[in-house]
Amino acid sequence: MHGGVILDRIKEPNMEGLKEGLRNLDKHVRNLRYFGQTIVVAFNRFASDTDEEVEAIRRHCEENLKVGFAVNNAFAEGGEGAVELANLVVDTIEKTPSAPLQYTYEEDDSVQQKIEKVACNLYGASAVTYSSASRKMIRLIEKMGIAHYPVCIAKTQYSFSADPKIYGAVNNFEFHIKDIVINNGAEMIVAVAGEILRMPSLPKEPQAQHIDIVDGNIEGLS
């Protein structure tokens, strides 16, 4: 998909599309190394994956990226199918443990600095823009004295950008913050980028309050 292959043909062997999509993998590995971590790549194998494709990714990981690679076939084979991956993880931890964790931003950075460091250093954005509503929320956060909260960015999972249709290792794009939500109980600030449906929360009066057992029958399920 990240190599430009359309979704209806994603299960067909396509070495060119696979090689193009490796840049997306490269960017994920680079981002994890940004935190000072030792990386292994787990390949969750599907029935349509060919041996040639799997070996091409293995060579790329081991020779070009210098990271461990293992096929995870647990879905088809159960625990036996995950032995290769388990051994790789144990071996990597023993021989090349990760360095102390590095963070993307400092706790005392401003809310905007935190958002921009994630968007530019990890996603690859060249600029971050803010809606008037999100700027208003930033001022409120500063007034409340909670700018030290960590920032979580809610965006599409399909792209490094906020546009779900832009695949691959995209860079130099404008990253727009549509809204900012304060999760004061969790002490977390959520920056909402692009059009995305966040996990819905419970209403003020959840249906669970009306579930009961009457004469041995459950009532209030709907």
Side-chain angles (χ1 to χ4, degrees), residues 58-198:
R58 184 189 298 276
R59 286 196 305 272
H60 180 75
C61 289
E62 295 177 348
E63 296 173 11
N64 299 340
L65 298 179
K66 307 300 180 186
V67 297
F69 175 92
V71 174
N72 176 28
N73 212 15
F75 182 80
E77 300 175 6
E80 286 298 317
V83 169
E84 180 188 353
L85 174 60
N87 287 336
L88 173 64
V89 170
V90 170
D91 188 60
T92 303
I93 290 171
E94 289 178 349
K95 294 180 180 176
T96 52
S98 295
L101 185 64
Q102 299 176 44
Y103 296 95
T104 314
Y105 54 75
E106 301 296 329
E107 187 178 292
D108 57 1
D109 283 344
S110 69
V111 174
Q112 284 178 258
Q113 285 175 321
K114 290 174 181 177
I115 293 171
E116 287 162 15
K117 284 182 178 181
V118 173
C120 297
N121 296 339
L122 296 181
Y123 300 160
S126 56
V128 179
T129 59
Y130 301 85
S131 67
S132 55
S134 63
R135 288 190 180 278
K136 184 178 178 181
M137 287 302 295
I138 289 174
R139 290 194 293 271
L140 175 61
I141 288 166
E142 291 168 348
K143 187 176 179 181
M144 293 172 66
I146 56 172
H148 62 282
Y149 284 1
V151 168
C152 168
I153 297 181
K155 59 178 275 303
T156 178
Q157 71 270 37
Y158 297 112
S159 174
F160 279 104
S161 74
D163 184 342
K165 295 180 181 178
I166 301 179
Y167 301 137
V170 57
N171 284 300
N172 300 318
F173 54 87
E174 185 179 281
F175 194 74
H176 183 65
I177 302 299
K178 178 182 174 183
D179 194 14
I180 290 181
V181 178
I182 302 170
N183 288 350
N184 212 23
E187 297 191 348
M188 181 173 68
I189 295 164
V190 180
V192 183
E195 300 297 325
I196 183 171
L197 176 64
R198 297 175 63 224

Side-chain angles (χ1 to χ4, degrees), residues 21-31 33 60 64-65 160 169:
L22 288 173
R23 289 185 294 175
N24 185 69
L25 171 64
D26 295 350
K27 189 165 180 176
H28 280 290
V29 170
R30 186 209 72 189
N31 282 351
R33 281 176 166 158
H60 180 75
N64 299 340
L65 298 179
F160 279 104

